[in-house]
Amino acid sequence: MSTEEQPTTESAPAGNAPRSLAEALRARDDASLAALLRARPDLITPVPTDLTQLATRAGTRASVVRALERLDRFALQTAEALAVAPEPAAYGELLGLMAGDDRDPVVAQALPRALGTLREQALVWGADDRLRLVRTARELLAPSAQHPSPTGLGPTVAEAASGMSPGRIQEIVTAAGLATTHDSVSAVAALTELFTDRTRMSALLDGIPADSLEVLSRLVWGPPYGQVTADPAPRLRLLLDRGLLLPTAPGTVVLPREVALHLRAGRAHRETQPVPPAVEPGAAHRPAMVDATAAGQAYTALATVEELLKDWDEGGPAVLRAGGLSVRDLKRTAVALDVPEPVAAFWVELAYAAGLLASDGDADERYAATPAYDEWLELPSAERWARLAGAWLAATRTPGLVGGRDAKDRTLSALGPGLDRSAAPEVRHRVLALLGTLPEGASPDAESLLSRLHWERPLRGAQSAQDDDLRTRLARWTLSEAESLGVTGRGALSSHGRALLGLPAAGAANTAAAAGVAESAGAAGAAGVAGAASASDTANAAGTSGTPRTAGIAGTSGTPGAAGTTETAGTAGTTETPGAAGTSETPGTSGTSGTAREVDAASEAGPSGPGGGLPARPHQPPDTAPRPVRTPAEQAADAAHAARLLAPLLPEPLDHVLLQADLTAVAPGPLRRPLADMLGVLADVESKGGATVYRFTPGSVRRALDAGRAASDLHAFLAEHARTPVPQPLTYLIDDVARRHGHLRIGAASAYVRCDDDAVLNEILADKRSAGLRLRRLAPTVLAAQADPAALLDGLRAMGFAPAAESAEGDVLITRAHARRTPPRTAPQPVPEGPPVPDATLLGAAIRAVRAGDLAATAPRRTAPDAAPVTGGELPRTSAAETLATMQAAVLTGESLWIGYVNAEGAASQRVIAPVRVEGGFVTAYDHTADEVRTYPLHRVTGVAELAEDQP
């Protein structure tokens, strides 16, 4: 085997190979265990008592399925190859299944990394000459008639012949040119040896007619099963007689695994993918243009969210009985925002995820803005955007699902249940991180991006449906939503989007990418394989351009990104768990932070001690190394940095407008809030864009007068904020509406109209449009109506009058819009996909507890000659007097003891303690299991046993 084909081995002595997964884990050092628990955090939820329990948990079906789903394509193909290999398998056999008889150098170079990943995640254990796939993984991946393997291989000769009669087996052996044997077992072994011998098998196939070989070629790559009649054709009969096809059921035959592997030249897969496909750049843009476009989208996003919540300011739509927004209300919202319904659903869900929108909880439950919305409005624009973008990145709610169907064929509605998808945050981060590997200002080719995601997370057993799988749809939605939100501009990652993700700046990323490529090239070996592997990824940093706009992103294309994200930098030596210092998830446990630092230091320094041959982090291809989990403090710092980068790109709010003679006002940019609020009452928005056009109408001026403003206030307001002279038509409009405003007074009788000018009342009565109000004269200046005051106001305003409502005392009522707010609400919490990745502090405490528990479970016990032996999982049993005497003796001698203990909840455990003091019915001792001094009541100690001489 050449140098580059050497695998990463576990450092077990040749004569002391592990006999179980628990023994293999016991041989690992702390850094290797920490890497396992990071990759599979479900294994420490809760913390196992010892390494045997950890190994048992690592072999459960749910945990193994979760681990397999998080493997990249090549690592999964390696596991699939081990599932069809003999157990145990030597590394050479695995290499033959993966690289074929010609030993593909690219596959040979990448195989140690894939095997190291499987070993790190405790899916494979054993030395290189005895590799074993954990039993559950083998059961999931091994081929069967009910669950075909992705390899397309069938059962072995021994498995297929298990139900055949001994006479039939001997007939096949004879037809294949082998000597008959005395039993079926030896006959099957001889047939297997023939099929696995390349030379003899080639000679056997040379004597097979071409039409029979054509049948084998149809089955060679799977599925390996075929149907035959009761009287098969001669070409099939020939194959059946020689055992090249074996019957498995009436009318069904199968191609034995050994025959298929020979026809495949030893390959388990038709196509292996050892190197991740590169994300190809598409269209190239100037970075400044990308940032400017993204800033414009960010400003539009802020304006859209404000407009949405202003539209719902007096109380939004009602909440459906099952929860969520009705289809009719979503359509109405889309019309108000002037966007398509899917886009409206995105903005509604974004406001909800940011905690700006919630249901009010009243009897007639409606949606409304939360008090947090008012606080959000007071923030600077860049900080408001950072809050929206941060909520979007972390949200598990998926607006793209709105309008679809759930498992019970119910329509999924915006703000309703059933929209959470745990994979959404991870896919968003990964898609944007891959954009960051492209040259600055370059957008991705959508298909190459999806191909990369499929390689990193392949679908087991569903490769044919990848275009419709959830991760693919999440990736496409991420590209579209990131563009709408301003994280990307023209499809390229912006500088503030890069900062929001915690990615290095463009220059730093290029440097890191170059370092990662150099390191990969250095490890490539004589075959030059790594150079070829890294070249595909390094193309991202080389400045290539191109990439058509991603489908589904309206009017946008491109994506900037600095070459080489922290993914690549991680390959060059980034730390695994930054920010762990100063955090604590296990308060009250002494020495935790120190152990956490030791775990990180061990990860940096490389493996040492038992299991030192297994690396803490297997070699990862460029851009596939997992990124460290960011702490909330780091995320807040990244958001603040993104806001600082975005702030100079956003337009400054203006304090003036341009008045025109056609009764319009032009706001050449965003307006300061008091000006925008007042202008929104005094005029109607006619058009939006880079500049907003407002139109003054009699109705809008009356609205301002109804809000309590006088004509003089409106003239002063316009004179103060207009850069141009106030046009005479606008002055006349305000004066004319103010002169007529309140001339008619509406009150409640049920309703009446009062006016000092009886001629106006005569005009109203003569107007046919007033018939529906059913008016009658009570006095020369008073009309009574059978309509309510609100309907009477609307009816007279529709007739061209400017009535005003008055109170019972005769005062004009001021009508202002009252903002409706929900009680304080918290933003919805994301639904996690599984247990969170533990930080270094928790890892240190967990590993220490597991080691101590393992010591208590495996330490040899010293037993009295007449005492019954104690098994490993059984608590010791001694009398109270014996327990007390043994404890007191241990205090004097300083020896450690093994005790059984039952806590207040009745949970039994085993512990190794070093007693320090025994008094008052309590023993104070250093507990090796908890790694701290504790006090135990003696009446809860079930028994005690001394440890062997060589134990601490």
Side-chain angles (χ1 to χ4, degrees):
M1 189 184 300
S2 60
T3 303
E4 66 271 12
E5 295 176 2
Q6 294 296 332
T8 302
T9 62
E10 294 178 346
S11 64
N16 194 25
R19 295 171 297 176
S20 65
L21 178 59
E23 289 190 8
L25 295 179
R26 198 165 284 124
R28 293 192 179 193
D29 62 356
D30 286 354
S32 180
L33 283 180
L36 166 63
L37 299 180
R38 285 193 193 99
R40 299 175 66 178
D42 58 296
L43 298 183
I44 57 169
T45 309
V47 177
T49 58
D50 53 37
L51 288 171
T52 300
Q53 188 179 78
L54 177 64
T56 302
R57 193 177 295 175
T60 59
R61 184 180 181 88
S63 182
V64 170
V65 168
R66 187 180 292 111
L68 291 175
E69 288 176 347
R70 302 185 73 85
L71 293 176
D72 62 54
R73 185 180 299 280
F74 188 63
L76 183 60
Q77 287 181 329
T78 303
E80 292 166 351
L82 278 173
V84 299
E87 188 179 25
Y91 181 80
E93 294 175 308
L94 175 62
L95 180 62
L97 289 171
M98 295 299 297
D101 294 342
D102 56 351
R103 292 297 192 267
D104 186 340
V106 178
V107 175
Q109 171 66 26
L111 185 58
R113 176 201 64 84
L115 184 59
T117 299
L118 296 176
R119 272 177 163 156
E120 178 197 81
Q121 299 192 21
L123 295 172
V124 170
W125 60 277
D128 290 337
D129 57 343
R130 298 183 64 82
L131 294 173
R132 294 180 183 270
L133 194 65
V134 295
R135 182 180 303 175
T136 307
R138 176 174 285 273
E139 293 172 354
L140 290 169
L141 300 177
S144 66
Q146 295 76 22
H147 304 284
S149 168
T151 61
L153 294 171
T156 62
V157 173
E159 294 169 347
S162 59
M164 297 177 61
S165 65
R168 177 58 182 157
I169 294 177
Q170 295 296 336
E171 292 176 1
I172 293 175
V173 168
T174 303
L178 301 175
T180 59
T181 62
H182 297 288
D183 59 276
S184 299
V185 175
S186 57
V188 170
L191 199 60
T192 301
E193 183 180 356
L194 169 64
F195 290 164
T196 54
D197 188 318
R198 292 285 189 265
T199 303
R200 297 167 61 195
M201 187 63 180
S202 297
L204 177 63
L205 292 176
D206 288 342
I208 302 297
D211 55 349
S212 296
L213 292 178
E214 192 269 338
V215 173
L216 296 181
S217 66
R218 294 183 184 179
L219 303 177
V220 65
W221 291 110
Y225 295 91
Q227 302 295 320
V228 296
T229 62
D231 184 20
R235 60 176 183 170
L236 295 176
R237 172 59 63 187
L238 180 66
L239 299 176
L240 290 169
D241 289 343
R242 285 166 173 74
L244 298 177
L245 290 179
L246 294 176
T248 59
T252 303
V253 296
V254 67
L255 179 68
R257 186 181 306 170
E258 293 84 353
V259 177
L261 287 175
H262 177 85
L263 296 173
R264 297 179 178 194
R267 292 182 178 271
H269 298 85
R270 171 175 284 187
E271 179 184 0
T272 54
Q273 294 181 306
V275 179
V279 180
E280 298 294 340
H285 310 278
R286 290 185 296 108
M289 177 61 70
V290 169
D291 289 346
T293 304
Q297 288 296 112
Y299 170 73
T300 302
L302 296 177
T304 303
V305 172
E306 287 185 42
E307 184 178 358
L308 167 68
L309 294 177
K310 185 179 294 185
D311 186 51
W312 293 5
D313 211 26
E314 298 181 52
V319 180
L320 293 175
R321 181 179 303 175
L325 203 62
S326 67
V327 175
R328 180 177 56 187
D329 288 329
L330 180 61
K331 289 181 178 179
R332 186 181 296 116
T333 301
V335 171
L337 298 179
D338 194 22
V339 295
E341 290 177 34
V343 179
F346 167 69
W347 294 119
V348 170
E349 285 287 344
L350 178 63
Y352 177 64
L356 309 180
L357 173 66
S359 61
D360 56 16
D362 293 343
D364 55 339
E365 197 171 12
R366 309 185 77 84
Y367 289 108
T370 64
Y373 170 64
D374 298 315
E375 300 173 4
W376 179 76
L377 285 177
E378 300 302 321
L379 296 175
S381 298
E383 294 182 22
R384 286 190 285 141
W385 175 87
R387 180 168 172 180
L388 290 180
W392 170 72
L393 278 175
T396 54
R397 294 187 62 83
T398 311
L401 296 173
V402 172
R405 297 279 178 173
D406 63 6
K408 297 182 179 180
D409 200 35
R410 294 175 300 193
T411 303
L412 296 171
S413 57
L415 301 178
L419 293 183
D420 284 291
R421 296 295 182 270
S422 301
E426 178 198 350
V427 173
R428 291 190 191 110
H429 280 86
R430 188 56 189 151
V431 168
L432 296 177
L434 288 174
L435 297 189
T437 65
L438 296 174
E440 189 177 11
S443 61
D445 174 71
E447 294 306 316
S448 68
L449 178 65
L450 295 177
S451 297
R452 177 59 169 268
L453 292 176
H454 291 159
W455 186 92
E456 293 180 356
R457 289 290 181 84
L459 296 176
R460 293 193 303 113
Q463 283 82 353
S464 60
Q466 282 182 343
D467 290 340
D468 298 322
D469 73 284
L470 177 62
R471 292 180 64 86
T472 298
R473 289 182 291 157
L474 286 174
R476 294 187 184 278
W477 292 333
T478 295
L479 293 173
S480 175
E481 293 166 2
E483 188 72 21
S484 299
L485 194 53
V487 177
T488 60
R490 297 182 178 269
L493 190 63
S494 62
S495 59
H496 51 273
R498 184 184 300 276
L500 182 70
L501 294 168
L503 302 179
N510 285 324
T511 304
V517 171
E519 181 179 344
S520 298
V529 176
S534 61
S536 61
D537 281 322
T538 320
N540 298 336
T544 26
S545 62
T547 260
R549 182 170 62 223
T550 303
I553 303 178
T556 61
S557 67
T559 289
T565 68
T566 49
E567 308 280 339
T568 307
T571 308
T574 38
T575 57
E576 188 63 23
T577 53
T583 61
S584 175
E585 292 191 21
T586 54
T589 303
S590 61
T592 300
S593 59
T595 305
R597 287 191 294 269
E598 291 169 7
V599 171
D600 271 351
S603 300
E604 292 293 330
S608 62
L614 182 66
R617 173 60 55 191
H619 298 294
Q620 301 280 356
D623 301 331
T624 62
R627 294 184 62 224
V629 178
R630 294 186 299 161
T631 64
E634 290 173 328
Q635 294 176 14
D638 293 337
H641 184 204
R644 288 194 298 271
L645 293 178
L646 177 62
L649 303 175
L650 294 176
E652 287 292 334
L654 304 175
D655 62 350
H656 64 273
V657 293
L658 306 176
L659 298 179
Q660 302 185 111
D662 60 349
L663 297 180
T664 60
V666 178
L671 300 177
R672 292 183 178 177
R673 189 157 308 281
L675 174 58
D677 292 342
M678 182 59 196
L679 200 58
V681 175
L682 181 58
D684 298 323
V685 176
E686 189 171 76
S687 65
K688 300 177 183 178
T692 304
V693 178
Y694 295 86
R695 177 164 294 279
F696 299 96
T697 64
S700 67
V701 174
R702 177 192 51 75
R703 186 169 61 231
L705 296 174
D706 286 343
R709 301 287 183 174
S712 58
D713 297 332
L714 301 182
H715 288 306
F717 169 78
L718 293 175
E720 179 184 358
H721 295 287
R723 283 290 179 89
T724 57
V726 179
Q728 193 177 52
L730 179 56
T731 302
Y732 287 169
L733 174 65
I734 294 174
D735 291 339
D736 182 57
V737 174
R739 183 176 60 255
R740 294 185 296 114
H741 182 264
H743 194 52
L744 292 177
R745 299 293 184 89
I746 305 298
S750 93
Y752 64 84
V753 181
R754 181 173 64 84
C755 182
D756 294 336
D757 187 353
D758 58 352
V760 175
L761 297 183
N762 292 333
E763 181 183 351
I764 294 175
L765 289 173
D767 196 320
K768 294 181 180 180
R769 291 175 293 177
S770 68
L773 301 176
R774 302 179 68 180
L775 298 170
R776 64 188 179 88
R777 189 184 296 272
L778 296 182
T781 58
V782 179
L783 296 179
Q786 296 186 18
D788 60 85
L792 186 55
L793 276 169
D794 293 339
L796 293 178
R797 286 169 180 169
M799 294 166 61
F801 297 95
E806 71 176 7
S807 66
E809 292 77 17
D811 299 325
V812 175
L813 291 176
I814 296 175
T815 56
R816 290 198 184 108
H818 295 284
R820 184 171 183 175
R821 295 291 180 262
T822 68
R825 296 276 193 265
T826 58
Q829 292 297 319
V831 179
E833 188 175 9
V837 177
D839 62 10
T841 304
L842 179 59
L843 279 177
I847 291 173
R848 187 175 59 253
V850 171
R851 292 282 193 200
D854 198 60
L855 172 64
T858 60
R861 286 83 177 176
R862 185 193 305 168
T863 59
D866 57 345
V870 179
T871 60
E874 183 182 350
L875 294 178
R877 295 286 180 178
T878 56
S879 65
E882 290 175 328
T883 298
L884 179 59
T886 306
M887 292 282 191
Q888 291 173 338
V891 171
L892 297 176
T893 60
E895 294 181 347
S896 295
L897 301 175
W898 176 56
I899 68 169
Y901 182 74
V902 179
N903 63 13
E905 288 76 29
S909 62
Q910 305 176 36
R911 299 177 178 275
V912 175
I913 65 172
V916 177
R917 183 174 61 254
V918 179
E919 62 181 9
F922 292 88
V923 56
T924 301
Y926 176 78
D927 191 332
H928 291 278
T929 306
D931 196 19
E932 65 181 3
V933 176
R934 289 186 174 182
T935 300
Y936 297 102
L938 287 174
H939 69 275
R940 294 195 179 277
V941 177
T942 63
V944 61
E946 297 179 358
L947 298 180
E949 295 292 343
D950 57 343
Q951 295 300 313

